[in-house]
Amino acid sequence: MSMPYSWPTCRQQAWNHVPEDCLTIELDGITFHGAHQLDGGYYGVTSWSGWHDGSDARGGPTPYPASDGAYRTRVDMQATPIVIEGTIEASSRRELWEMTEALRKVLVRQRYAPLVVTEEALDLPSRQVSVCRLRHPRITWDSWTSAAFTLEMQPDDWRKVDVTTQAATIRNGGTATLTNAGDEDADLSAILTGPMSNPALSWAGGAWSYAGTIPAGSTRQVNFVSRLVRDPATSNSYRHIVNGQWPSVPADGQLSVKLTCTGATSATAATLQWRSTWS
């Protein structure tokens, strides 16, 4: 008597997304599954490209948006288009029509949306990148309950980030350690909450300072990537009174940051935000 076949686990057959739900892709309200033994009513992925294919160099140094004369020194990279090919499996003709209509409307109501990918076999957290649609999805009905599709998208960045934003709040004289689990440097931003005067952030081998006063109840938003420093309430820029370096959280590493200032109270704080980042 033959025994029923048991599908391998994701880790036993990590090169093949079919055996179990080792792969899920979420985009604009639709979930695409790597598994194909599910019952009707799902979007199945037969192949996809662009996620693991790397990126090509697009150009050299470019000016920062702050227009302070500085340039990005790393090579500018071109994001690779992502193509998903798969099947729509429905339990009825009506359901298939509804599912194809939902797929046709992907990225119609908004220019960009996060593409969230979970790969259980790789033991990685869910990662995402913002994408826009390159062209209308190509859908071909194979039967009354099945159709094939191709969806082509263009990411806005060649890197992928953790779906969860990490945050650390530092009080005057305190230190926080930021951790990046990815293989690329993670972009960093900060919110400085007053009252504080001449706040400074320091770390091993570097420092950043703001030569001014932030009143109680006011904040400054700092984007260390674009080198922008603004008051969100007035949109005034304060880039001209900032000195020092512009940090990021190193790949596969940590960054310990300390806040110092004068005129601090219990409300004074610097909140740093970042996401682990992968190539």
Side-chain angles (χ1 to χ4, degrees):
M1 179 178 176
S2 63
M3 298 296 292
Y5 180 73
S6 176
W7 288 106
T9 66
C10 291
R11 292 169 184 78
Q12 289 172 328
Q13 198 170 348
W15 65 89
N16 190 336
H17 292 305
V18 173
E20 290 189 2
D21 216 358
C22 302
L23 168 72
T24 57
I25 303 172
E26 299 172 72
L27 174 65
D28 201 11
I30 291 181
T31 300
F32 304 88
H33 297 271
H36 288 261
Q37 76 277 18
L38 301 173
D39 294 331
Y42 73 93
Y43 300 89
V45 178
T46 55
S47 67
W48 69 313
S49 62
W51 185 261
H52 294 293
D53 296 340
S55 303
D56 298 321
R58 179 170 55 185
T62 56
Y64 285 98
S67 300
D68 59 358
Y71 282 80
R72 302 177 192 269
T73 55
R74 70 182 184 189
V75 174
D76 192 21
M77 303 296 289
Q78 171 68 53
T80 303
I82 296 175
V83 180
I84 301 175
E85 296 181 309
T87 60
I88 305 173
E89 300 295 338
S91 56
S92 67
R93 179 179 178 181
R94 174 71 182 188
E95 184 180 38
L96 181 61
W97 177 82
E98 292 173 347
M99 295 179 69
T100 57
E101 286 300 298
L103 186 60
R104 287 192 178 98
K105 294 177 181 177
V106 163
L107 294 174
V108 169
R109 295 175 295 274
Q110 53 188 329
R111 174 64 171 167
Y112 281 93
L115 178 79
V116 180
V117 177
T118 303
E119 298 171 285
E120 182 186 331
L122 299 181
D123 284 329
L124 290 173
S126 296
R127 298 176 291 168
Q128 72 177 41
V129 65
S130 292
V131 297
C132 66
R133 197 170 74 175
L134 285 178
R135 54 185 57 87
H136 293 290
R138 297 195 296 273
I139 303 175
T140 303
W141 282 42
D142 296 326
S143 69
W144 292 125
T145 59
S146 178
F149 71 86
T150 301
L151 186 60
E152 300 175 65
M153 299 154 290
Q154 179 63 44
D156 70 344
D157 198 322
W158 60 278
R159 300 167 300 169
K160 298 93 175 174
V161 298
D162 196 331
V163 297
T164 302
T165 299
Q166 300 182 71
T169 298
I170 314 173
R171 303 296 178 182
N172 186 33
T175 301
T177 299
L178 321 182
T179 301
N180 176 13
D183 59 4
E184 289 288 338
D185 291 352
D187 294 346
L188 186 62
S189 64
I191 299 175
L192 305 179
T193 303
M196 62 172 69
S197 295
N198 302 316
L201 300 174
S202 58
W203 57 93
W208 178 95
S209 62
Y210 176 99
T213 297
I214 303 175
S218 296
T219 61
R220 298 291 182 268
Q221 293 179 339
V222 183
N223 187 319
F224 293 105
V225 181
S226 57
R227 302 189 174 188
L228 297 175
V229 183
R230 289 178 176 168
D231 181 343
T234 64
S235 296
N236 290 338
S237 174
Y238 295 88
R239 172 65 184 87
H240 60 287
I241 59 173
V242 169
N243 295 288
Q245 298 166 285
W246 300 84
S248 59
V249 187
D252 294 314
Q254 296 181 328
L255 184 71
S256 293
V257 182
K258 181 178 181 179
L259 169 67
T260 55
C261 66
T262 59
T265 68
S266 59
T268 302
T271 300
L272 306 180
Q273 296 180 325
W274 75 100
R275 298 187 188 207
S276 292
T277 305
W278 290 262
S279 59

